Amino acid sequence: MGNLKITKKIDAVSPVMIAGWPGMGSVALGVVDYLRRKLKAVKFAEIPVDKMLTLDAVLVENGIAKLQPPPKNTFYYDRQHNLIIFEGEAQLPGASGIAILNEVLGLAEEFRVKRIFTGAAFPLPIRHKEKSDVYGVANDARLRDIIVKSGVKLMEGGHISGLNGLTLGFAAERHIEAICLLATMPQYAISIPNPKASAAIVSTLARILNFDIDQAEMNEEIKDMDERMAAIEEKVKDVFIIENEEPESLPAEKKIPGYIMEKIEKLFHEAR
């Protein structure tokens, strides 16, 4: 499946790794993409993927259908902060996704990565204007102090789907410390990128790992998103009858009715 390919030699010594794949709100992908660009991280490795194992649709442009290229899985290195950043363009299902994850963890072992951070969305029935809070979960009890001391709330229960969550379990089997940071976002908007949630995780990582990063670009994206979402919320006020309560775990019992979700999806497509 993969066969890791090193394209540039780096002199990393016990670095920290930040990894991200697409998911709800593109939260984790937004984090790693922003960090590797703003920190000017340099590509040094990739995991090639056989496109025949990833195809599930064709791309249509101007009435012409064509096969899509395989998703990229790329490693970057920020020497100044001793950070390895992994960016996966797609979450492959089943064994294919696990194979990619094992390649990522194999590289982490090779460079003796001391800790891995991932990100994810924490969807709640909240309005877009509300602050994005960050929750944390670790694969080792000793890491909980790091989470709490950094001002992050502990996620008491629930589940984290996809490779951003599975990383913690598979890393534990290799005795690699790992933490997942989850940022709250509106439950109704999980199908579109949420820069506010990504920005909350970026700020938290900067605080934990002690680096500075310019978030002006993200702030502009948040402003644009807020304006579009405000217009949408105005049209679907019946969705937002929300209780003021502190989330303790993923609120699986609180679901927006399907007919309203369909209406919201249509409004989002019109707003793009």
Side-chain angles (χ1 to χ4, degrees), residues 16-20 31-32 35 83-86 117 205 209 211:
V16 167
M17 177 184 286
I18 302 173
V31 170
V32 293
L35 286 176
L83 281 177
I84 289 178
I85 300 172
F86 171 77
F117 287 89
L205 286 170
L209 300 177
F211 64 80

Side-chain angles (χ1 to χ4, degrees), residues 5-246:
K5 180 181 179 183
I6 303 293
T7 57
K8 181 181 178 65
K9 185 177 180 180
I10 62 171
D11 54 0
V13 178
S14 298
V16 167
M17 177 184 286
I18 302 173
W21 287 268
M24 292 184 290
S26 294
V27 174
L29 194 59
V31 170
V32 293
D33 179 69
Y34 195 81
L35 286 176
R36 62 102 176 163
R37 289 190 294 106
K38 291 302 177 180
L39 296 178
K40 294 180 171 56
V42 177
K43 175 183 173 181
F44 74 93
E46 61 186 4
I47 305 171
V49 176
D50 183 349
K51 71 176 181 180
M52 300 307 293
L53 298 177
T54 64
L55 294 174
D56 60 2
V58 293
L59 179 66
V60 179
E61 294 180 344
N62 298 318
I64 303 298
K66 59 182 180 181
L67 295 177
Q68 301 181 72
K72 295 179 180 178
N73 297 278
T74 313
F75 295 90
Y76 302 87
Y77 182 57
D78 168 26
R79 185 176 184 181
Q80 180 180 353
H81 304 99
N82 199 25
L83 281 177
I84 289 178
I85 300 172
F86 171 77
E87 182 174 1
E89 287 187 345
Q91 289 226 29
L92 303 184
S96 297
I98 299 303
I100 293 294
L101 176 53
N102 279 325
E103 294 274 11
V104 172
L105 295 176
L107 181 139
E109 285 184 321
E110 181 179 342
F111 285 95
R112 297 185 180 181
V113 166
K114 60 183 178 182
R115 186 171 299 140
I116 300 174
F117 287 89
T118 65
F122 196 149
L124 293 173
I126 59 177
R127 299 174 187 267
H128 79 281
K129 290 183 179 180
E130 295 185 39
K131 175 177 172 285
S132 183
D133 292 322
V134 178
Y135 287 75
V137 59
N139 66 356
D140 189 313
R142 293 171 297 179
L143 298 177
R144 285 183 297 191
D145 286 343
I146 293 175
I147 293 174
V148 174
K149 288 179 180 178
S150 64
V152 174
K153 303 173 185 178
L154 284 175
M155 178 179 170
E156 298 295 343
H159 67 274
I160 308 170
S161 60
L163 297 176
N164 293 307
L166 286 173
T167 297
L168 274 66
F170 279 82
E173 292 189 348
R174 296 175 183 245
H175 306 289
I176 302 174
E177 295 181 351
I179 292 174
C180 181
L181 300 173
L182 304 95
T184 58
M185 62 169 287
Q187 175 179 305
Y188 67 85
I190 60 174
S191 64
I192 63 171
N194 192 290
K196 183 181 290 185
S198 295
I201 293 177
V202 167
S203 295
T204 301
L205 286 170
R207 188 165 63 250
I208 293 174
L209 300 177
N210 194 30
F211 64 80
D212 294 321
I213 187 164
D214 180 5
Q215 290 189 244
E217 182 182 326
M218 269 189 160
N219 292 335
E220 285 299 314
E221 292 175 359
I222 292 170
K223 181 180 177 182
D224 178 64
M225 174 64 69
D226 279 347
E227 291 175 355
R228 289 190 291 147
M229 292 177 76
I232 291 170
E233 285 190 9
E234 186 65 26
K235 295 179 181 179
V236 286
K237 285 183 178 179
D238 53 332
V239 175
F240 304 101
I241 303 173
I242 300 168
E243 300 176 5
N244 292 320
E245 58 182 24
E246 188 74 7

